[in-house]
Amino acid sequence: MKQVVLITGGTMGIGQGLAEAFLAQGDEVAVCGRSAEALEAFTRAHPQALAIKADVTKSLDRAAMLEAVANRFGRLDVLVNNAGRFVERDFLRSDAAKDLEDEITLNLTAPIQLTAEVLERWPKPAALIFVTSGFALVSPTRAPTYGAVKAGLHGFAEGLRRQLAPNGTHVLELLPTTTDTPGTAHETRKKMTTTEVAAVTLKALARHRDMALPGPMKMLPTLLRIAPNATKRMVADI
């Protein structure tokens, strides 16, 4: 059955890969982003989708975005909380906490607020997807606050899953491995494509899994159980 899907930060990177995967299986898709140029490019490539200019950290933008989805499609079946940003912070420096509130708002507070607003309008969506990170399980040395906010989002998804179970809403957490996106252009290590990450995500969604674990991520929970210290040392310094 065709679903209506909203993906935050859906004009590039993993968000765009997910948008294209949902479109390819015949779903109706809405994406949001802050860049007018990126939104225009997405619309040219995918004219059947709805592209909305919105900053998810702003309550008025979130409200306008959900209204646009309601006006176009009449409902929302799947929310993908994807928008986020990786910020390195060295707490041996005096400016370590610069713009910290902005990071926390974008990566943690905004997806929680948007989820609450979606549930208020559509109390029984088919699925809620949260894009977190392997760093939600092992906080990175170079970005401890990123680890903190992703761990917070992981905890929220876990508790929300139990809370919404009686309604039949599937709560899925995606923990992507290093993925080939504009944000990782400087990385030289092996990366998965956004298409590959999206395929793993949609398979986990179809199978009603709690987590989508692309590539090496599928081994991380097991490794943390059998060799926690060694695994943490390895992952923390990636």
Side-chain angles (χ1 to χ4, degrees):
M1 182 177 176
K2 183 181 290 189
Q3 301 178 104
V4 177
V5 184
L6 171 61
I7 303 169
T8 66
T11 60
M12 60 183 65
I14 291 171
Q16 182 177 348
L18 289 168
E20 291 170 347
F22 279 111
L23 286 167
Q25 68 177 20
D27 292 320
E28 301 281 10
V29 171
V31 301
C32 79
R34 294 184 290 189
S35 166
E37 182 179 356
L39 288 162
E40 289 167 8
F42 184 88
T43 297
R44 286 194 299 271
H46 308 289
Q48 73 275 42
L50 174 63
I52 307 163
K53 192 174 191 302
D55 180 343
V56 293
T57 68
K58 297 179 179 178
S59 60
L60 291 178
D61 280 21
R62 293 195 304 272
M65 175 176 65
L66 296 185
E67 190 65 23
V69 170
N71 289 339
R72 173 75 171 265
F73 304 113
R75 70 181 201 276
L76 179 62
D77 302 306
V78 180
L79 169 66
V80 183
N81 280 298
N82 166 73
R85 185 163 61 98
F86 184 87
V87 181
E88 293 190 14
R89 295 185 185 277
D90 182 354
F91 280 83
L92 296 177
R93 296 170 55 96
S94 60
D95 62 347
K98 182 181 179 182
D99 299 325
L100 179 59
E101 290 184 2
D102 293 342
E103 179 188 2
I104 294 172
T105 299
L106 175 61
N107 289 338
L108 179 61
T109 310
I112 292 174
Q113 290 174 321
L114 179 59
T115 298
E117 290 155 2
V118 165
L119 290 170
E120 183 176 357
R121 187 183 283 255
W122 297 287
K124 295 183 179 181
L128 300 168
I129 301 176
F130 296 89
V131 181
T132 64
S133 169
F135 292 139
L137 308 182
V138 180
S139 191
T141 303
R142 60 194 170 110
T145 55
Y146 184 81
V149 292
K150 289 300 186 180
L153 198 58
H154 165 75
F156 176 67
E158 184 179 30
L160 188 67
R161 182 179 298 116
R162 291 190 293 269
Q163 198 171 88
L164 298 183
N167 289 344
T169 297
H170 177 195
V171 177
L172 173 66
E173 183 181 356
L174 165 60
L175 287 76
T177 186
T178 304
T179 308
D180 189 10
T181 68
T184 62
H186 62 289
E187 300 277 1
T188 57
R189 63 178 176 270
K190 186 177 180 181
K191 308 170 193 175
M192 289 186 74
T193 67
T194 57
T195 301
E196 291 170 331
V197 171
V200 172
T201 305
L202 265 61
K203 183 179 288 187
L205 188 64
R207 295 180 176 180
H208 217 78
R209 305 293 192 202
D210 289 348
M211 289 184 172
L213 300 165
M217 285 298 105
K218 63 187 174 185
M219 293 300 299
L220 183 58
T222 301
L223 289 172
L224 283 170
R225 287 196 300 272
I226 64 177
N229 293 333
T231 302
K232 287 178 181 180
R233 285 194 299 269
M234 178 179 64
V235 174
D237 291 327
I238 289 177

